[in-house]
């Protein structure tokens, strides 16, 4: 268990990391690894030593949990759907579907049957992952400690690996539809001759357009991560305060997240639709 506030904060912000430690590495318990070994990192220093190929098991696990929960809820609503008086679950699902469908109709100007299901998936998946933030910060790390795990973060969107995973998927779709709709030649010309339609300014145009293209996944991922991570840090700092002060601050902050959590999912969804709409525009 953490003995100081700094150790407490570091512990709660550390992911359960699985990766390969290099040969000769001295672990926190003093043992030296004879050969490169795949293992779970016991400290943040070990996680850093594992390098790029390490994976965050907690982020992957909770992301899959949120994804299957989304599929399960909507599948249950679909199986029990009725043309008569709808139940509460059917009402809720229909409201979400109609809301997302309206956003796609207003924002997306191309013709693609994939966009609405994609937007619904992005919105609900991120909403459910964000909603894990409402679980008190000590519950999951405490349970993980009882099971012998060194750390266990619960909010996948408070991990940049999680948010970049979703945003890079959207980015690949942007590239795919840009080439499919405009053709490779048309997409290349768009990059080379926008905003200045003159051959002498092609290098300047390419710099601007490629930079703008690359900032799309960056803005999607970092905006979501920054808001969720900052909120998690505030919850952790509140947990360090005396018990009677915790409830005074924790409840209002949790209520505030009733707005933040769906808002961040909504922003990610809308920006994804806007970027994909631009990819479908053939000038």
């Amino acid at each position: 268990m953490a003995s100081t506030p700094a150790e407490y904060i570091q512990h709660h912000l550390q992911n359960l990391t699985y990766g390969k430690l290099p040969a000769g590495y001295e672990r926190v318990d003093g043992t030296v690894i004879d050969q490169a070994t795949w293992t779970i990192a016991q400290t943040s220093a070990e996680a850093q030593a594992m390098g790029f190929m390490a994976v965050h098991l907690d982020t992957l696990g909770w992301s899959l949990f949120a994804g299957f929960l989304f599929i399960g809820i909507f599948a249950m609503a679909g199986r029990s759907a009725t043309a008569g008086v709808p139940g509460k679950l059917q009402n809720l699902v229909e409201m979400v579907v109609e809301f997302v469908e309206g956003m796609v109709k207003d924002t997306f100007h191309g013709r693609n049957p994939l966009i609405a299901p994609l937007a619904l998936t992005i919105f609900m998946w991120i909403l459910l992952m964000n909603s894990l933030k409402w679980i008190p910060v000590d519950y999951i790390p405490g349970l993980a400690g009882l099971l012998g795990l060194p750390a266990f973060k619960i909010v996948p969107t408070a991990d940049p690996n999680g948010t970049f995973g979703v945003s890079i998927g959207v980015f690949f779709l942007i590239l795919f539809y840009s080439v499919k709709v405009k053709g490779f030649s048309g997409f290349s010309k768009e990059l080379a001759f926008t905003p200045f339609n003159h051959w002498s300014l092609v290098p300047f145009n390419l710099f601007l357009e490629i930079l703008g293209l690359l900032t799309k996944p960056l803005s999607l991922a970092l905006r979501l991560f920054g808001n969720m991570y900052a909120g998690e840090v505030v919850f952790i700092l509140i947990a360090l305060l005396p018990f009677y002060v915790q409830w005074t601050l924790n409840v209002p902050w949790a209520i505030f997240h009733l707005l933040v959590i769906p808002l961040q999912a909504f922003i990610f969804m809308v920006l994804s639709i806007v970027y994909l709409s631009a990819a479908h525009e053939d000038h």
Side-chain angles (χ1 to χ4, degrees):
M1 295 296 292
S3 58
T4 67
E7 291 176 352
Y8 176 85
I9 294 171
Q10 185 177 12
H11 174 265
H12 280 56
L13 293 178
Q14 180 180 335
N15 286 97
L16 182 64
T17 307
Y18 181 79
K20 182 188 287 186
L21 286 174
Y25 185 87
E26 183 177 354
R27 304 202 70 178
V28 66
D29 58 2
T31 59
V32 178
I33 297 177
D34 295 330
Q35 58 184 357
T37 305
W38 287 89
T39 184
I40 292 176
Q42 298 298 315
T43 64
S44 58
E46 289 189 4
Q48 186 175 2
M50 290 175 174
F52 178 75
M53 295 305 295
V55 295
H56 292 170
L57 298 178
D58 42 11
T59 296
L60 289 173
W62 286 111
S63 297
L64 289 172
F65 170 78
F68 285 122
L69 181 61
F70 159 62
I71 294 172
I73 291 173
F74 276 66
M76 187 185 303
R79 286 195 298 267
S80 61
T82 175
V85 179
K88 294 180 180 179
L89 180 60
Q90 182 178 340
N91 268 328
L92 178 62
V93 168
E94 287 180 353
M95 286 174 58
V96 174
V97 170
E98 290 173 1
F99 168 71
V100 173
E101 185 180 26
M103 289 303 307
V104 172
K105 286 181 178 180
D106 294 338
T107 311
F108 185 75
H109 305 300
R111 299 178 66 87
N112 190 334
L114 175 68
I115 302 303
L118 176 66
L120 177 64
T121 302
I122 288 174
F123 177 73
M124 286 303 304
W125 194 23
I126 294 178
L127 177 65
L128 291 172
M129 289 192 289
N130 290 352
S131 298
L132 294 171
K133 185 181 287 291
W134 281 317
I135 299 177
V137 293
D138 285 332
Y139 283 16
I140 300 302
L143 180 60
L146 294 176
L147 297 175
L149 299 175
F152 206 83
K153 282 178 66 176
I154 188 173
V155 185
T157 48
D159 179 3
N161 294 280
T163 58
F164 268 104
V166 183
S167 68
I168 289 173
V170 174
F171 180 63
F172 283 152
L173 286 175
I174 293 171
L175 294 179
F176 173 76
Y177 285 114
S178 293
V179 174
K180 181 180 179 180
V181 174
K182 305 166 188 177
F184 183 79
S185 175
F187 183 47
S188 301
K189 288 180 180 178
E190 183 179 79
L191 294 177
F193 293 98
T194 305
F196 304 108
N197 189 16
H198 195 277
W199 64 268
S200 63
L201 293 173
V202 166
F204 182 70
N205 289 336
L206 285 174
F207 172 76
L208 288 180
E209 290 299 303
I210 293 175
L211 181 63
L213 193 62
L214 293 177
T215 56
K216 290 177 180 178
L218 283 172
S219 64
L220 284 174
L222 293 180
R223 179 184 292 105
L224 178 59
F225 162 71
N227 281 277
M228 293 298 104
Y229 184 81
E232 192 74 358
V233 170
V234 172
F235 275 120
I236 293 171
L237 293 175
I238 292 174
L240 287 169
L241 299 173
F243 182 77
Y244 61 90
V245 181
Q246 288 183 29
W247 280 99
T248 304
L249 298 177
N250 208 18
V251 172
W253 187 243
I255 293 174
F256 175 68
H257 275 71
L258 290 172
L259 173 64
V260 173
I261 286 172
L263 180 61
Q264 292 305 315
F266 172 76
I267 292 173
F268 198 107
M269 176 193 70
V270 169
L271 288 178
S272 299
I273 298 171
V274 169
Y275 294 155
L276 288 168
S277 179
H280 282 72
E281 291 178 359
D282 186 16
H283 298 291

